[in-house]
Amino acid sequence: MMEIKHRIQFGCDTDELADKVLSGEKTATSSLYDYSLMNQEEIKVNECASILDSQGKEKCIVKIERIEIVDFQDITEEFAVNEGDGCLDNWIKIHTEYYSSLLEKIDKKLTGRTKLVCEWFSVVSSNN
């Protein structure tokens, strides 16, 4: 039996993004490197996490395949597509707004050098 140490509930469009994980359209996610802002513990490669819907119910379990710390300005088209946002321009638009709102709460601003944790994962079990 696999140990589930982490729970992931996407900040925006929670149910839609959880469904994209199930369909295989979303195989990556990003968060601010400052974990305290994201209300989560540091996750490591090969650990498993529950993907939760907006009601807090587990949709599936994913295994973390790879983790990189990347500057906001260095996010690639490939990552944006894997995150389920279609293209880099769309990813930038969505995440500029989202991360800016989180950072404003602690009187910080999003810059090109803002560090993000980029995680790639694969579904290992589904509750559908």
Side-chain angles (χ1 to χ4, degrees), residues 50-68:
S50 295
I51 301 294
L52 306 177
D53 67 13
S54 60
Q55 306 301 308
K57 293 183 182 153
E58 184 178 275
K59 295 285 280 186
C60 63
I61 297 171
V62 297
K63 180 179 177 185
I64 304 303
E65 306 286 343
R66 181 172 55 147
I67 299 172
E68 291 181 0

Side-chain angles (χ1 to χ4, degrees), residues 15-90:
D15 293 326
E16 178 187 341
L17 293 175
D19 288 342
K20 284 184 176 187
V21 171
L22 281 171
S23 73
E25 187 179 342
K26 180 174 178 61
T27 59
T29 194
S30 64
S31 55
L32 291 168
Y33 182 67
D34 183 346
Y35 282 95
S36 63
L37 280 176
M38 300 304 291
N39 270 339
Q40 63 190 37
E41 291 179 40
E42 184 176 354
I43 196 165
K44 296 177 176 68
V45 171
N46 292 324
E47 288 185 337
C48 291
S50 295
I51 301 294
L52 306 177
D53 67 13
S54 60
Q55 306 301 308
K57 293 183 182 153
E58 184 178 275
K59 295 285 280 186
C60 63
I61 297 171
V62 297
K63 180 179 177 185
I64 304 303
E65 306 286 343
R66 181 172 55 147
I67 299 172
E68 291 181 0
I69 308 302
V70 178
D71 286 349
F72 187 87
Q73 67 191 9
D74 294 332
I75 292 294
T76 64
E77 182 83 26
E78 176 191 12
F79 183 81
V81 169
N82 284 316
E83 194 162 2
D85 292 320
C87 66
L88 183 58
D89 287 344
N90 194 43

